[in-house]
Amino acid sequence: MTKVLLTGGSGFIAAHILELLLQRGHEVVTTVRSDDKASKIRDAHPNAKLAVVIVPDIAKSDAFDEVVKTPGLEVVLHTASPFHYNWTDPKTELLDPAIIGTTSILKAIKKSAPGVKRVVITSSFASILSEKGLADPKKVFSEADWNPNTYEDGLKDNKATSYRVSKTIAEKSAWKFIEEEKPNFDLATVCPPLVFGPIVHHLNSLSAINTSNQRFVDLIQGKFKDEIPPTGVYFWVDVRDVALAHVEAFERPEAGGKRFFTTAGKFNNREVVAAVRKNFPELKDKLPSEGVKGGDYPEGGVYGYDNSRATKELGINWISIEKSSVDTVKSLQAVGA
Ligand code: NDP
């Protein structure tokens, strides 16, 4: 049993991490932004070895100073970071919480949590990709790659770039902190591309769906009926595999000091539509029929990936896109979609 601090416990990915931590017998302290979110998590896990603490604003440099003083903490999993496009000012609403959130927790642990031996940060494929690589069918992405965009690029008028910069600079800042400060803990980072899968966190309404599952809501509500939209980035992973990667990344001593590119591989929107069409005949009227165009891979092919480190060193047997799509849709139907 390990005592683990999990930030952002109200999130899509973090809720799965929380479930797995409790299943494996770990004791958890998780942070959320509001009393309402705290109560929902406590209600969902009665009798668990779980404390829920309010950290209202992770963009404050002292945000985590108190919670890291929790006696007995050994591991910190930092997932809290904005992943949505409902912001107007990229600095205060996106870059600050992502970057200051990361550096402030590392500083706080170094100062006040000498028992912490491993920190795992949820980074992203956003910190690996490059525009050039995404346009090159010969490119093979792996942990060796870094997004070349700068902080200044993140302030320009492109929401996707701003998000990618928020993750890139946050992860780079974390590795720099380890190198320069030589703290009492080491670091592992988990870099997922698009994360799909069933929701287990509380949603006030379907409009609050996490960003990466939005396409499933759109699909089953009929928005793909006349044309399947372009896929965007062609890599994906199931949320249960992402949760497993976080837990394995602290349970395995040899994972320290490493980035993990956690992708199940390639997918396109056409495959998602086919999986949902096959398994949910009752949704026929909402779904595009087989002749509807769109959602394919580009004619020239797409870039490749090397996920061998995460597969071997974290022991992940990747969930398939069909299973992930089916379980996602079932979970959305259960909340009224
Ligand atoms: P969610 O939006 O469901 O979760 C984000 C979490 O971060 C929530 O707990 C949210 O709190 C918290 N958060 C966001 N902004 C702030 C802020 N300003 N102050 C305090 N807390 C904040 O998304 P995911 O679960 O998908 O994302 C979790 C992590 O995974 C993020 O770091 C994201 O960048 C990363 N990621 C996600 C991918 C995906 O496809 N889903 C892919 C790659 C990386 P609240 O509930 O109060 O909003």
Side-chain angles (χ1 to χ4, degrees):
M1 190 280 285
T2 300
K3 193 156 180 180
V4 180
L5 172 62
L6 170 70
T7 68
S10 51
F12 165 56
I13 294 173
H16 282 270
I17 298 175
L18 176 58
E19 296 227 329
L20 188 56
L21 289 169
L22 296 174
Q23 267 171 33
R24 290 198 177 182
H26 299 301
E27 184 173 351
V28 184
V29 179
T30 193
T31 67
V32 292
R33 287 200 259 195
S34 66
D35 282 320
D36 178 48
K37 292 194 174 184
S39 319
K40 297 282 176 359
I41 295 177
R42 288 189 196 108
D43 292 350
H45 298 94
N47 314 317
K49 283 181 288 179
L50 172 67
V52 189
V53 174
I54 312 290
V55 172
D57 184 3
I58 60 172
K60 283 188 146 173
S61 60
D62 61 353
F64 295 103
D65 282 8
E66 288 309 311
V67 72
V68 300
K69 291 179 186 162
T70 305
L73 271 191
E74 294 160 272
V75 163
V76 174
L77 308 181
H78 179 51
T79 80
S81 197
F83 180 27
H84 59 81
Y85 301 108
N86 311 321
W87 44 264
T88 46
D89 178 18
K91 182 182 182 303
T92 55
E93 295 171 75
L94 183 69
L95 297 164
D96 284 356
I99 300 165
I100 299 174
T102 301
T103 51
S104 68
I105 199 164
L106 297 177
K107 282 182 197 156
I109 299 164
K110 184 179 178 207
K111 187 170 160 218
S112 310
V116 170
K117 297 288 172 263
R118 169 77 43 88
V119 174
V120 179
I121 292 178
T122 318
S123 186
S124 173
F125 175 57
S127 73
I128 290 178
L129 62 76
S130 59
E131 294 296 329
K132 201 170 149 215
L134 292 179
D136 178 3
K138 295 203 182 72
K139 173 70 189 166
V140 176
F141 286 106
S142 76
E143 294 88 355
D145 296 299
W146 277 99
N147 184 331
N149 282 136
T150 62
Y151 185 88
E152 287 65 36
D153 293 332
L155 298 172
K156 292 177 191 160
D157 193 19
N158 180 322
K159 291 209 160 180
T161 302
S162 298
Y163 170 70
R164 290 169 179 177
V165 166
S166 79
K167 299 303 290 180
T168 304
I169 305 294
E171 190 190 344
K172 281 188 172 172
S173 306
W175 288 115
K176 185 163 175 259
F177 182 92
I178 298 291
E179 194 184 315
E180 292 179 354
E181 300 288 324
K182 304 200 176 6
N184 44 301
F185 52 87
D186 65 10
L187 175 68
T189 60
V190 176
C191 301
L194 277 166
V195 183
F196 303 146
I199 53 164
V200 296
H201 62 302
H202 177 79
L203 279 192
N204 279 331
S205 77
L206 258 189
S207 62
I209 190 71
N210 63 288
T211 301
S212 55
N213 271 342
Q214 181 69 52
R215 76 184 65 202
F216 284 90
V217 175
D218 291 346
L219 171 63
I220 65 178
Q221 289 186 338
K223 292 192 183 148
F224 290 14
K225 198 157 172 49
D226 298 328
E227 186 177 3
I228 305 173
T231 304
V233 168
Y234 294 96
F235 293 149
W236 81 286
V237 63
D238 187 275
V239 66
R240 291 158 289 190
D241 288 337
V242 177
L244 181 62
H246 282 77
V247 176
E248 294 289 338
F250 84 75
E251 288 185 341
R252 297 180 185 231
E254 64 280 10
K258 292 178 186 162
R259 304 175 91 192
F260 291 95
F261 179 27
T262 48
T263 182
K266 294 184 206 173
F267 87 107
N268 65 41
N269 275 349
R270 222 173 164 76
E271 293 168 358
V272 168
V273 170
V276 177
R277 196 191 287 121
K278 179 178 154 199
N279 290 282
F280 297 90
E282 73 278 14
L283 292 177
K284 189 167 180 275
D285 291 347
K286 298 279 184 192
L287 302 178
S289 57
E290 285 193 28
V292 169
K293 292 192 168 37
D296 276 314
Y297 292 117
E299 277 187 11
V302 283
Y303 42 81
Y305 63 96
D306 177 355
N307 63 357
S308 55
R309 177 186 281 177
T311 306
K312 286 184 206 140
E313 298 185 27
L314 300 179
I316 300 177
N317 185 10
W318 307 99
I319 291 169
S320 72
I321 190 71
E322 179 167 350
K323 177 170 170 48
S324 189
S325 301
V326 168
D327 293 348
T328 306
V329 170
K330 281 185 187 159
S331 80
L332 293 173
Q333 288 177 324
V335 294

